[in-house]
Amino acid sequence: QADISQDEKVKPGSYPAVVCCCRKKCLLFNDVILIIATLHTGLSRTAKSFEMILVGRFLEGIGAGRTPHYSLSM
């Protein structure tokens, strides 16, 4: 298992890797994915590219699936 400090106890049902790598970094990485997805979707009209909408929607789905449940309780 990962090396976890005393103040970051692993709760039942949680992933030690998430606790070890810091929740804030995971959430910020998820925000970057969602910003890129939003830019793809928003700029698709300017670029006149339907494929950019598809890529943006795909990334939005990835970002929505990666959002941990504990981010709603923060």
Side-chain angles (χ1 to χ4, degrees), residues 37-55:
T38 305
L39 288 174
H40 266 85
T41 306
L43 296 176
S44 64
R45 181 176 282 181
T46 306
K48 297 179 181 166
S49 173
F50 180 71
E51 291 82 9
M52 286 180 70
I53 295 175
L54 296 177
V55 170

Side-chain angles (χ1 to χ4, degrees), residues 11-54:
K11 295 178 183 174
S14 64
Y15 297 101
V18 173
V19 174
C20 179
C21 295
C22 300
R23 292 181 181 106
K24 185 175 181 180
K25 289 179 185 178
C26 292
L27 290 173
L28 287 175
F29 179 70
N30 192 42
D31 289 341
V32 170
I33 291 175
L34 290 174
I35 289 171
I36 291 171
T38 305
L39 288 174
H40 266 85
T41 306
L43 296 176
S44 64
R45 181 176 282 181
T46 306
K48 297 179 181 166
S49 173
F50 180 71
E51 291 82 9
M52 286 180 70
I53 295 175
L54 296 177

Side-chain angles (χ1 to χ4, degrees), residues 11 23 27 67-74:
K11 295 178 183 174
R23 292 181 181 106
L27 290 173
T67 303
H69 298 289
Y70 58 76
S71 65
L72 300 174
S73 64
M74 290 178 119

